Amino acid sequence: DAKTTQPNSMESNEEEPVHLPCNHSTISGTDYIHWYRQLPSQGPEYVIHGLTSNVNNRMASLAIAEDRKSSTLILHRATLRDAAVYYCILRRQGAQKLVFGQGTRLTINP
Amino acid sequence: DTAVSQTPKYLVTQMGNDKSIKCEQNLGHDTMYWYKQDSKKFLKIMFSYNNKELIINETVPNRFSPKSPDKAHLNLHINSLELGDSAVYFCASSPKGGSGNTIYFGEGSWLTVV
């Protein structure tokens, strides 16, 4: 499984946008970029995923670099409830599993 | 309605005991998983089943035995519990094991072996 690199931690303020970076320089053409997050004392939950084009959903936006070697998860207006560990995961086409890395611990200040 | 439910949520037991964690999903999914999150917070896959058939078996001791009586259930039985088995165990499911399919996780079962 191709590896991703994320900052260990980030901090932001409530009601401000948050940009969570992820590097994946060894990504292959069939790797999807997935983002999951884990709120305290809960199981991971799906946030968003994409292949080449930028993606938007009700939770977040995913901006994918043109060469696909990096991506950014964007939370448009952070709330306290967005404090969690965010995982950027590459998942090969047809792959059965998700391989989690260390993730980024996001702290939101009131 | 809870999509992926696990029981028990908390379990404290002595070394050497045998225990089971049950998991049920009401999403109609074909694929189910067990993940383990250790004290350092790393999440690792243990097993994956597709329609009751074992698909993934990562390097897990034989003391761990998953059982899938039907595609909505995947139980985890652990024999001869050791201190190092203390962790949070997450059950999960997805429509199929494809890269575009979302995986839905349960809330976790906190196992403490004393």
Side-chain angles (χ1 to χ4, degrees), chain A residues 32 34 36 46 49 91-95, chain B residues 96-103:
Chain A
Y32 284 75
H34 286 249
Y36 280 72
Y46 169 81
H49 80 278
R91 192 178 184 192
R92 190 145 295 174
Q93 190 172 20
Chain B
K96 279 186 182 178
S99 51
N101 285 317
T102 299
I103 297 182

Side-chain angles (χ1 to χ4, degrees), chain B residues 6-114:
Chain B
Q6 307 177 219
T7 54
K9 188 172 174 74
Y10 300 102
L11 181 56
V12 181
T13 188
Q14 290 188 327
M15 274 197 322
N17 283 351
D18 302 338
K19 290 293 177 187
S20 292
I21 306 172
K22 295 185 177 180
C23 178
E24 176 182 4
Q25 54 95 2
N26 62 5
L27 298 167
H29 289 166
D30 290 326
T31 303
M32 295 187 72
Y33 310 79
W34 277 108
Y35 277 79
K36 177 181 178 181
Q37 188 166 39
D38 60 25
S39 57
K40 295 182 180 178
K41 305 296 184 185
F42 286 111
L43 265 162
K44 290 185 179 178
I45 189 166
M46 300 173 70
F47 302 102
S48 172
Y49 271 71
N50 195 31
N51 267 323
K52 303 194 299 178
E53 181 184 350
L54 180 66
I55 301 297
I56 295 174
N57 183 352
E58 296 288 308
T59 310
V60 177
N62 291 337
R63 299 182 295 103
F64 290 80
S65 53
K67 283 190 172 49
S68 182
D70 55 61
K71 75 173 193 177
H73 295 84
L74 181 61
N75 304 323
L76 183 65
H77 188 76
I78 315 170
N79 289 327
S80 304
L81 278 156
E82 300 177 357
L83 293 176
D85 298 332
S86 296
V88 186
Y89 293 85
F90 290 100
C91 179
S93 73
S94 71
K96 279 186 182 178
S99 51
N101 285 317
T102 299
I103 297 182
Y104 296 82
F105 287 81
E107 294 192 345
S109 294
W110 269 253
L111 172 64
T112 302
V113 182
V114 297

